Amino acid sequence: MAQVNTCLKRVFTIFNILFAIVGGVIIGLALLSQVITNINGGQNVEGRMSGLIVLYVVGIVTMMIAILGAYGAHKESKVCLIIFLVCMVIGSLLMLRTGVPVAITRPQLEGMLEERFRNYLPLDKAEYEVRDMADTLQTQLHCCGMFSYKDWENNIPDSCLCSPAEMEEDKCQTIDYNSYMMQEKSIYTKTCFPIIMHYVLLLVDIVIGIAFALAVLALLGMILSSIMIYQMRYPDRPTILMSVPTIFTTAPPKYQELHNPPPY
């Protein structure tokens, strides 16, 4: 069995434990995002399910790679460490490929979604699927219209109407619904688009944070695994370590004149 520096092996094992914890945190964030969006009616947000699936897959793969790296360090298996190194290289490139474009697109995301949602207006004349989605969002998010209650023109649905308890909590507004029949309705004050954007940006921020965090961890994993593979391949060669610069070392004592010089 190849001899690997014990300290390096311990550091690499601790790194993989932390890497596995990160994978578990990613799975936990995906589960938390799924629960929060289900409670607040965000399950109809476009791209939600695909984003959650990506988080689950990334979390599970991260934990599997961490287990592979820990096993390779414990058994000093060169094959496992090489596979781990390849996974780190591929993973870092994929994380950067994912995180950089998403981070660049994030400031423009609200404008893109707003333009897309405005194409559905007026809602009362939109397709059935769009009207059904809007009704569901309004019921669960307690909002009315994407940008205004006027998105429904003169056909405001019952999903916009407030309950008596909500009217007392000052969450509603009274509008003139039909000018000819002098009808009034009490509807939700909030609109739905800002709430939808809140959840979309939340998922985007989670994806960006995870991508760059994993890219940094993958780079560290590449360095550690490369050093271990080098030590296994050349067990007789010492690993080059950084030495302390001479400016930080104690200067040698100055020569002092002898008190009793020898006679000449």
Side-chain angles (χ1 to χ4, degrees), residues 1-10 12-13 67-82 225 228-233 235:
M1 182 179 290
Q3 296 296 322
V4 179
N5 185 278
T6 305
C7 182
L8 177 62
K9 185 189 293 188
R10 290 176 180 173
F12 190 69
T13 303
I67 294 172
L68 176 66
Y71 176 82
H74 179 69
K75 296 294 185 180
E76 296 188 11
S77 172
K78 187 185 296 186
V79 175
C80 291
L81 289 175
I82 291 175
S225 58
M228 292 191 67
I229 294 171
Y230 175 85
Q231 288 191 352
M232 291 180 184
R233 187 173 182 181

Short mmCIF file of all heavy atoms in Angstrom, two decimals, residues 1-10 12-13 67-82 225 228-233 235:
data_model
loop_
_atom_site.label_atom_id
_atom_site.label_comp_id
_atom_site.label_asym_id
_atom_site.label_seq_id
_atom_site.Cartn_x
_atom_site.Cartn_y
_atom_site.Cartn_z
N MET A 1 0.85 -1.19 0.00
CA MET A 1 0.00 0.00 0.00
C MET A 1 0.89 1.24 0.00
O MET A 1 1.86 1.33 0.72
CB MET A 1 -0.91 0.01 1.24
CG MET A 1 -1.86 1.21 1.29
SD MET A 1 -2.93 1.16 2.75
CE MET A 1 -3.98 -0.22 2.33
N ALA A 2 0.55 2.20 -0.82
CA ALA A 2 1.33 3.43 -0.88
C ALA A 2 1.20 4.21 0.41
O ALA A 2 0.18 4.16 1.09
CB ALA A 2 0.85 4.28 -2.06
N GLN A 3 2.28 4.90 0.73
CA GLN A 3 2.30 5.68 1.95
C GLN A 3 1.89 7.12 1.63
O GLN A 3 2.52 7.78 0.82
CB GLN A 3 3.70 5.64 2.57
CG GLN A 3 4.13 4.26 3.01
CD GLN A 3 3.24 3.72 4.12
OE1 GLN A 3 2.82 4.46 5.01
NE2 GLN A 3 2.95 2.45 4.06
N VAL A 4 0.84 7.59 2.31
CA VAL A 4 0.35 8.95 2.14
C VAL A 4 0.50 9.67 3.46
O VAL A 4 0.31 9.08 4.53
CB VAL A 4 -1.13 8.97 1.69
CG1 VAL A 4 -1.64 10.40 1.55
CG2 VAL A 4 -1.28 8.23 0.37
N ASN A 5 0.87 10.92 3.37
CA ASN A 5 1.04 11.72 4.58
C ASN A 5 -0.23 11.65 5.43
O ASN A 5 -1.33 11.89 4.95
CB ASN A 5 1.34 13.17 4.19
CG ASN A 5 1.64 14.04 5.39
OD1 ASN A 5 0.72 14.50 6.06
ND2 ASN A 5 2.91 14.25 5.65
N THR A 6 -0.06 11.28 6.71
CA THR A 6 -1.22 11.10 7.59
C THR A 6 -2.00 12.38 7.77
O THR A 6 -3.24 12.37 7.76
CB THR A 6 -0.75 10.57 8.96
OG1 THR A 6 0.02 9.39 8.77
CG2 THR A 6 -1.95 10.28 9.86
N CYS A 7 -1.30 13.48 7.93
CA CYS A 7 -1.98 14.77 8.10
C CYS A 7 -2.79 15.12 6.87
O CYS A 7 -3.94 15.59 6.98
CB CYS A 7 -0.94 15.86 8.39
SG CYS A 7 -1.65 17.49 8.67
N LEU A 8 -2.21 14.89 5.68
CA LEU A 8 -2.93 15.17 4.44
C LEU A 8 -4.17 14.30 4.31
O LEU A 8 -5.23 14.75 3.88
CB LEU A 8 -2.00 14.96 3.24
CG LEU A 8 -2.63 15.16 1.86
CD1 LEU A 8 -3.11 16.59 1.68
CD2 LEU A 8 -1.62 14.79 0.77
N LYS A 9 -4.03 13.02 4.70
CA LYS A 9 -5.18 12.12 4.63
C LYS A 9 -6.32 12.61 5.54
O LYS A 9 -7.49 12.56 5.16
CB LYS A 9 -4.75 10.70 5.03
CG LYS A 9 -5.87 9.67 4.87
CD LYS A 9 -5.48 8.34 5.49
CE LYS A 9 -4.36 7.68 4.73
NZ LYS A 9 -4.12 6.30 5.23
N ARG A 10 -5.97 13.07 6.72
CA ARG A 10 -7.00 13.56 7.64
C ARG A 10 -7.66 14.82 7.10
O ARG A 10 -8.88 14.98 7.20
CB ARG A 10 -6.38 13.83 9.01
CG ARG A 10 -5.96 12.56 9.76
CD ARG A 10 -5.27 12.89 11.06
NE ARG A 10 -4.86 11.68 11.78
CZ ARG A 10 -4.13 11.69 12.89
NH1 ARG A 10 -3.72 12.86 13.41
NH2 ARG A 10 -3.81 10.56 13.47
N PHE A 12 -7.95 15.66 3.99
CA PHE A 12 -8.78 15.27 2.85
C PHE A 12 -10.08 14.60 3.32
O PHE A 12 -11.14 14.81 2.75
CB PHE A 12 -8.00 14.32 1.94
CG PHE A 12 -8.67 14.05 0.63
CD1 PHE A 12 -8.79 15.04 -0.32
CD2 PHE A 12 -9.18 12.79 0.35
CE1 PHE A 12 -9.41 14.79 -1.54
CE2 PHE A 12 -9.79 12.52 -0.85
CZ PHE A 12 -9.91 13.53 -1.80
N THR A 13 -9.99 13.80 4.37
CA THR A 13 -11.19 13.16 4.92
C THR A 13 -12.15 14.20 5.49
O THR A 13 -13.37 14.14 5.26
CB THR A 13 -10.80 12.14 6.01
OG1 THR A 13 -9.89 11.17 5.45
CG2 THR A 13 -12.03 11.43 6.55
N ILE A 67 -18.44 10.70 -0.68
CA ILE A 67 -18.24 9.34 -0.16
C ILE A 67 -17.13 8.64 -0.93
O ILE A 67 -16.28 7.95 -0.34
CB ILE A 67 -19.55 8.54 -0.25
CG1 ILE A 67 -20.60 9.15 0.71
CG2 ILE A 67 -19.33 7.07 0.08
CD1 ILE A 67 -21.99 8.55 0.55
N LEU A 68 -17.08 8.82 -2.24
CA LEU A 68 -16.03 8.22 -3.06
C LEU A 68 -14.65 8.75 -2.65
O LEU A 68 -13.69 7.98 -2.51
CB LEU A 68 -16.29 8.53 -4.54
CG LEU A 68 -15.22 8.05 -5.53
CD1 LEU A 68 -15.16 6.53 -5.56
CD2 LEU A 68 -15.49 8.61 -6.93
N GLY A 69 -14.55 10.07 -2.44
CA GLY A 69 -13.27 10.65 -2.04
C GLY A 69 -12.83 10.18 -0.67
O GLY A 69 -11.64 9.87 -0.47
N ALA A 70 -13.76 10.10 0.28
CA ALA A 70 -13.41 9.63 1.63
C ALA A 70 -12.95 8.17 1.59
O ALA A 70 -12.00 7.79 2.27
CB ALA A 70 -14.60 9.81 2.56
N TYR A 71 -13.63 7.35 0.79
CA TYR A 71 -13.24 5.94 0.67
C TYR A 71 -11.86 5.83 0.03
O TYR A 71 -11.02 5.03 0.48
CB TYR A 71 -14.27 5.19 -0.17
CG TYR A 71 -13.90 3.75 -0.44
CD1 TYR A 71 -14.16 2.76 0.51
CD2 TYR A 71 -13.31 3.38 -1.65
CE1 TYR A 71 -13.81 1.44 0.27
CE2 TYR A 71 -12.97 2.06 -1.90
CZ TYR A 71 -13.22 1.09 -0.95
OH TYR A 71 -12.88 -0.22 -1.19
N GLY A 72 -11.61 6.62 -1.02
CA GLY A 72 -10.31 6.57 -1.68
C GLY A 72 -9.18 6.99 -0.76
O GLY A 72 -8.09 6.42 -0.78
N ALA A 73 -9.44 7.99 0.10
CA ALA A 73 -8.40 8.42 1.05
C ALA A 73 -8.17 7.38 2.12
O ALA A 73 -7.03 7.11 2.51
CB ALA A 73 -8.82 9.76 1.68
N HIS A 74 -9.25 6.78 2.62
CA HIS A 74 -9.12 5.79 3.69
C HIS A 74 -8.38 4.54 3.20
O HIS A 74 -7.50 4.01 3.91
CB HIS A 74 -10.50 5.42 4.21
CG HIS A 74 -10.47 4.37 5.29
ND1 HIS A 74 -9.97 4.62 6.54
CD2 HIS A 74 -10.89 3.06 5.28
CE1 HIS A 74 -10.07 3.52 7.28
NE2 HIS A 74 -10.61 2.57 6.54
N LYS A 75 -8.73 4.07 2.00
CA LYS A 75 -8.10 2.86 1.46
C LYS A 75 -6.84 3.16 0.66
O LYS A 75 -6.18 2.22 0.20
CB LYS A 75 -9.11 2.12 0.56
CG LYS A 75 -10.33 1.60 1.30
CD LYS A 75 -9.97 0.50 2.29
CE LYS A 75 -11.19 -0.11 2.93
NZ LYS A 75 -10.84 -1.18 3.90
N GLU A 76 -6.56 4.46 0.48
CA GLU A 76 -5.44 4.88 -0.35
C GLU A 76 -5.54 4.25 -1.73
O GLU A 76 -4.58 3.69 -2.28
CB GLU A 76 -4.11 4.54 0.32
CG GLU A 76 -3.89 5.28 1.62
CD GLU A 76 -2.49 5.09 2.19
OE1 GLU A 76 -1.65 4.55 1.45
OE2 GLU A 76 -2.25 5.49 3.34
N SER A 77 -6.74 4.36 -2.30
CA SER A 77 -7.01 3.80 -3.62
C SER A 77 -6.77 4.86 -4.69
O SER A 77 -7.46 5.89 -4.72
CB SER A 77 -8.47 3.30 -3.69
OG SER A 77 -8.81 2.93 -5.01
N LYS A 78 -5.78 4.59 -5.53
CA LYS A 78 -5.45 5.56 -6.57
C LYS A 78 -6.58 5.70 -7.58
O LYS A 78 -6.87 6.80 -8.08
CB LYS A 78 -4.15 5.14 -7.28
CG LYS A 78 -3.64 6.19 -8.26
CD LYS A 78 -2.44 5.69 -9.03
CE LYS A 78 -1.26 5.43 -8.13
NZ LYS A 78 -0.04 5.06 -8.90
N VAL A 79 -7.25 4.58 -7.90
CA VAL A 79 -8.35 4.61 -8.87
C VAL A 79 -9.48 5.52 -8.38
O VAL A 79 -10.00 6.37 -9.12
CB VAL A 79 -8.87 3.18 -9.14
CG1 VAL A 79 -10.09 3.24 -10.06
CG2 VAL A 79 -7.78 2.33 -9.75
N CYS A 80 -9.88 5.34 -7.11
CA CYS A 80 -10.96 6.16 -6.56
C CYS A 80 -10.58 7.64 -6.53
O CYS A 80 -11.41 8.51 -6.83
CB CYS A 80 -11.31 5.69 -5.15
SG CYS A 80 -12.10 4.07 -5.09
N LEU A 81 -9.33 7.93 -6.20
CA LEU A 81 -8.90 9.32 -6.14
C LEU A 81 -8.82 9.94 -7.53
O LEU A 81 -9.12 11.13 -7.70
CB LEU A 81 -7.54 9.42 -5.44
CG LEU A 81 -7.57 9.14 -3.93
CD1 LEU A 81 -6.15 9.14 -3.37
CD2 LEU A 81 -8.43 10.16 -3.21
N ILE A 82 -8.43 9.16 -8.53
CA ILE A 82 -8.40 9.68 -9.91
C ILE A 82 -9.83 9.98 -10.38
O ILE A 82 -10.08 11.01 -11.00
CB ILE A 82 -7.69 8.68 -10.84
CG1 ILE A 82 -6.20 8.62 -10.52
CG2 ILE A 82 -7.89 9.08 -12.31
CD1 ILE A 82 -5.43 7.59 -11.32
N SER A 225 -6.64 16.17 -3.83
CA SER A 225 -6.56 14.85 -4.46
C SER A 225 -5.34 14.72 -5.35
O SER A 225 -4.73 13.65 -5.44
CB SER A 225 -7.84 14.58 -5.27
OG SER A 225 -8.04 15.58 -6.25
N MET A 228 -2.39 13.90 -3.13
CA MET A 228 -2.43 12.51 -2.67
C MET A 228 -2.04 11.55 -3.78
O MET A 228 -1.30 10.58 -3.55
CB MET A 228 -3.83 12.18 -2.14
CG MET A 228 -4.19 12.90 -0.86
SD MET A 228 -5.69 12.28 -0.10
CE MET A 228 -5.17 10.64 0.38
N ILE A 229 -2.52 11.79 -4.99
CA ILE A 229 -2.16 10.92 -6.12
C ILE A 229 -0.66 11.01 -6.39
O ILE A 229 0.01 10.00 -6.68
CB ILE A 229 -2.97 11.32 -7.36
CG1 ILE A 229 -4.46 11.02 -7.15
CG2 ILE A 229 -2.47 10.59 -8.60
CD1 ILE A 229 -5.37 11.56 -8.23
N TYR A 230 -0.10 12.21 -6.26
CA TYR A 230 1.35 12.38 -6.46
C TYR A 230 2.13 11.58 -5.43
O TYR A 230 3.13 10.92 -5.77
CB TYR A 230 1.69 13.87 -6.37
CG TYR A 230 3.16 14.16 -6.44
CD1 TYR A 230 3.80 14.28 -7.68
CD2 TYR A 230 3.92 14.32 -5.28
CE1 TYR A 230 5.16 14.54 -7.76
CE2 TYR A 230 5.29 14.58 -5.36
CZ TYR A 230 5.90 14.69 -6.59
OH TYR A 230 7.24 14.94 -6.67
N GLN A 231 1.69 11.63 -4.18
CA GLN A 231 2.40 10.88 -3.14
C GLN A 231 2.28 9.37 -3.36
O GLN A 231 3.21 8.63 -3.05
CB GLN A 231 1.85 11.25 -1.76
CG GLN A 231 2.24 12.64 -1.29
CD GLN A 231 1.90 12.88 0.17
OE1 GLN A 231 1.23 12.07 0.80
NE2 GLN A 231 2.35 14.00 0.70
N MET A 232 1.16 8.90 -3.88
CA MET A 232 1.02 7.48 -4.16
C MET A 232 1.87 7.04 -5.35
O MET A 232 2.42 5.93 -5.36
CB MET A 232 -0.45 7.15 -4.45
CG MET A 232 -1.36 7.26 -3.25
SD MET A 232 -3.07 6.86 -3.70
CE MET A 232 -3.90 7.20 -2.14
N ARG A 233 2.00 7.93 -6.31
CA ARG A 233 2.77 7.58 -7.51
C ARG A 233 4.27 7.64 -7.24
O ARG A 233 5.05 6.83 -7.75
CB ARG A 233 2.40 8.54 -8.64
CG ARG A 233 3.02 8.15 -9.97
CD ARG A 233 2.48 9.02 -11.09
NE ARG A 233 3.03 8.65 -12.37
CZ ARG A 233 2.74 9.25 -13.52
NH1 ARG A 233 1.89 10.28 -13.52
NH2 ARG A 233 3.28 8.84 -14.65
N PRO A 235 6.16 7.53 -3.96
CA PRO A 235 6.18 7.46 -2.49
C PRO A 235 7.53 7.85 -1.89
O PRO A 235 7.60 8.25 -0.73
CB PRO A 235 5.87 5.99 -2.20
CG PRO A 235 6.27 5.27 -3.45
CD PRO A 235 6.01 6.20 -4.58
#
